Amino acid sequence: MSRRVVVVGHGMVGARFVEEVRRRDPKGARIRLTVLGAEPRPAYNRVLLSTVLAGGLSAPAVELHPAGWAARLRVDLRTGVTATAIDRERRIVRTDAGSDVSYDELVLATGSRAWLPPIDGMADPNVVTFRDLADCERIIDLARPGARFAVLGGGLLGCEAARGLVARGVDVTLVHPKPHLMERQLDGGAGEVLAGTLRRLGVDVLLGRTAVAWEAGAGLRCTGSAVPGGELVAADALVVAAGVRAETGLAADAGIAVDRGVLVDDRLGTSDVRVHAIGDCAQHSGAAAGLVQPGWEQAGVLADLLTTEDPGARYRGTPPVTRLKARDVDLATVGEPGALDGPGAEVLRFADPVGGRYASLALRGDRVVGGAMIGLPDAAASMIQFYDTGMPAPADRLGLLLGRALPGAPETADPGHLPASAVVCRCNTVTKGALVTAWRAGATDVPALSRATRAGTGCGSCGDTVRGICAWLAESDPPVISPVREEGAA
Ligand SMILES: Cc1cc2nc3c(=O)[nH]c(=O)nc-3n(C[C@H](O)[C@H](O)[C@H](O)COP(=O)(O)OP(=O)(O)OC[C@H]3O[C@@H](n4cnc5c(N)ncnc54)[C@H](O)[C@@H]3O)c2cc1C
């Protein structure tokens, strides 16, 4: 008898969980799937919204699946339906569509929501968050050439939004309350270099400003020690990118343990054995999510467990690696915030603010545990490789800092020199070795490699590397082509 699994949330991780279940149980013999998605459309690649905002992709191009996908996979997909309550005793999910859905196992993949600061004016129609495709479409609609935008929040999303809006010919002021940008990932020096790079690209960056009100028709009112009487940032529209909060309300209301996210163990189980949580809404080992790679890894582990394909599967955490997706800004960071100023860390730094370059690395016992690179793609690739593999750092620290310690690194190197363990596609955790295996199994062009391994289907930043590996394999390991038989030959 198949078990009924209900998934709440049809975002990047809920959709991936469905794929992972059907990879293991293609006919639905073990699992019947019902998916409830609050958004009115089927799942799309949220990570690529910054590229949509910058004009690099259209909305249909970021859809995750072709029409008819759910029906083909025997999935009861209900879009535009919000789960409103969980009755854990009767194992029922209530919805705003008036229908109750019963479950044997419930998977929460409710993601996160944009946080709005508690200041006046946030209900104005020209104030938009940056979380979903509807937000993105609204921003594009407001971003007519010559329009003036304020972007509130100089984290990863705020920087991407500001860069994207400038590319649309809009006047942009990026307002950030802290003394430097992206303070969760960057130290002061790196933040300064990033601000300089954004300024050169046309973004007006204001630091140390706290927003106190949005004044419709005028702009964003701010205070800060640099502006004793306060100041008005003149703007027609405001994009709020001031942080996200895990969507935990449904779980908390049902009495399931939550902290910053829904608390889960290595089996992605919550405090109720029948309820699981994955993706941005889940909190594993104290680490709040917010990146797609952990969520996609969790989706695979939970699919292993619920289909009983691998009852020993466990999720042990994902080392954080972030990249800014903004044209002409090459920025990557590894490690937990604070790795660079933790006690006992050996810290290496190089700064070239005029050239828009910055490198910092934190080592502990010869292992790279944190770092940030701006404008140094080779060094960024090498940093990520040392961080991922835990390889001991060489004695030549300068070579390490500047990315000369490895014969090759994924983004830049001759693919032949890359070790098989090098992670090429970060979002999907695909190594060079996995690409080579897929090639040898018959996936002998880029689309086929992507279908076989999923490389390149997340943020897309590994595209050049996958193409490079494909070209290298075509030379070093050419596909065996069956000899064409002559018509009528014996
Ligand atoms: C602009 C932007 C750029 C990003 N860039 C990157 C990046 O470069 N790299 C990276 O790793 N990550 C990036 N992220 C973060 C990444 O998108 C998230 O980590 C990822 O989407 C998490 O997937 P999820 O399925 O957990 O949540 P989501 O994708 O947010 O999906 C959750 C879904 O659940 C639905 N839902 C919520 N509550 C209910 C309910 N009660 N009933 C029914 N449905 C419900 C929501 O409507 C939503 O559709 C970016 C995010 C944004 C917004």
Side-chain angles (χ1 to χ4, degrees):
M1 182 62 183
S2 63
R3 283 186 302 163
R4 179 152 193 177
V5 175
V6 173
V7 184
V8 181
H10 188 46
M12 293 193 75
V13 174
R16 174 57 65 93
F17 172 74
V18 168
E19 288 176 21
E20 295 285 1
V21 166
R22 282 295 175 259
R23 277 189 167 199
R24 293 157 179 79
D25 178 32
K27 300 224 158 76
R30 282 174 273 167
I31 302 263
R32 276 174 296 150
L33 279 166
T34 302
V35 181
L36 308 175
E39 290 186 67
R41 47 185 126 212
Y44 53 86
N45 189 334
R46 196 175 306 280
V47 166
L48 293 179
L49 289 185
S50 305
T51 317
V52 174
L53 179 59
L57 281 172
S58 65
V62 299
E63 282 168 11
L64 283 176
H65 305 113
W69 167 82
R72 270 198 302 284
L73 292 191
R74 298 162 207 251
V75 175
D76 175 6
L77 170 61
R78 307 182 194 179
T79 51
V81 174
T82 302
T84 51
I86 306 167
D87 181 339
R88 295 199 288 137
E89 224 162 81
R90 296 168 60 204
R91 296 212 297 269
I92 283 173
V93 179
R94 303 201 190 286
T95 74
D96 64 352
S99 49
D100 293 348
V101 189
S102 59
Y103 64 86
D104 298 312
E105 307 285 342
L106 178 63
V107 177
L108 299 175
T110 49
S112 11
R113 75 188 120 81
W115 181 74
L116 277 175
I119 59 175
D120 283 348
M122 292 295 98
D124 184 69
N126 286 359
V127 174
V128 194
T129 55
F130 187 28
R131 180 68 198 170
D132 58 30
L133 200 43
D135 293 336
C136 202
E137 286 168 342
R138 175 86 189 118
I139 297 169
I140 292 169
D141 197 40
L142 291 165
R144 294 175 208 106
R148 295 166 311 166
F149 266 73
V151 175
L152 179 57
L156 200 84
L157 277 194
C159 292
E160 290 184 1
R163 173 66 185 106
L165 283 166
V166 161
R168 287 188 172 268
V170 165
D171 265 6
V172 182
T173 307
L174 178 59
V175 178
H176 190 55
K178 305 286 180 189
H180 70 85
L181 294 173
M182 284 182 63
E183 73 286 347
R184 288 189 55 220
Q185 291 92 359
L186 302 181
D187 59 20
E192 231 170 78
V193 171
L194 174 61
T197 303
L198 288 173
R199 284 185 180 119
R200 274 192 292 280
L201 291 166
V203 178
D204 192 5
V205 180
L206 295 181
L207 299 167
R209 308 293 206 279
T210 303
V212 290
W214 170 252
E215 296 176 8
L220 187 65
R221 178 76 53 193
C222 300
T223 58
S225 54
V227 282
E231 77 183 321
L232 180 76
V233 176
D236 310 308
L238 175 69
V239 174
V240 180
V244 293
R245 299 289 180 272
E247 195 64 78
T248 56
L250 202 57
D253 290 350
I256 293 167
V258 306
D259 178 28
R260 281 168 300 139
V262 182
L263 293 171
V264 293
D265 57 19
D266 289 0
R267 300 165 58 94
L268 288 324
T270 68
S271 57
D272 178 328
V273 287
R274 298 279 187 164
V275 183
H276 317 266
I278 52 178
D280 273 11
C281 71
Q283 182 180 333
H284 175 267
S285 284
L291 295 172
V292 77
Q293 185 191 8
W296 280 358
E297 288 182 5
Q298 292 165 1
V301 169
L302 188 59
D304 271 338
L305 292 169
L306 294 187
T307 59
T308 65
E309 190 83 1
D310 177 5
R314 297 290 180 272
Y315 176 72
R316 307 274 186 212
T318 310
V321 176
T322 53
R323 275 181 178 285
L324 192 74
K325 302 179 306 304
R327 192 152 48 86
D328 306 318
V329 191
D330 202 303
L331 185 155
T333 72
V334 299
E336 297 294 346
L340 283 167
D341 34 52
E346 176 193 345
V347 177
L348 313 171
R349 281 200 176 90
F350 160 80
D352 169 17
V354 176
R357 298 183 300 176
Y358 187 89
S360 61
L361 280 180
L363 293 109
R364 222 172 266 279
D366 266 356
R367 303 276 194 275
V368 172
V369 294
M373 298 283 165
I374 304 177
L376 293 163
D378 292 10
S382 135
M383 167 184 77
I384 292 171
Q385 210 173 312
F386 273 101
Y387 177 70
D388 270 343
T389 57
M391 267 187 295
D396 173 12
R397 298 296 208 237
L398 185 62
L400 173 72
L401 188 63
L402 300 181
R404 297 186 199 126
L406 287 172
E411 284 81 349
T412 53
D414 170 4
H417 284 121
L418 277 181
S421 60
V423 178
V424 173
C425 172
R426 162 87 21 207
C427 299
N428 287 290
T429 326
V430 181
T431 59
K432 173 190 163 189
L435 289 166
V436 172
T437 306
W439 172 278
R440 292 187 179 142
T444 54
D445 58 29
V446 172
L449 280 174
S450 178
R451 274 195 304 279
T453 63
R454 293 191 171 122
T457 61
C459 72
S461 62
C462 63
D464 286 347
T465 316
V466 175
R467 279 186 285 282
I469 289 176
C470 190
W472 163 72
L473 282 166
E475 282 210 350
S476 63
D477 197 350
V480 181
I481 300 166
S482 334
V484 180
R485 301 180 83 194
E486 294 285 325
E487 196 84 12

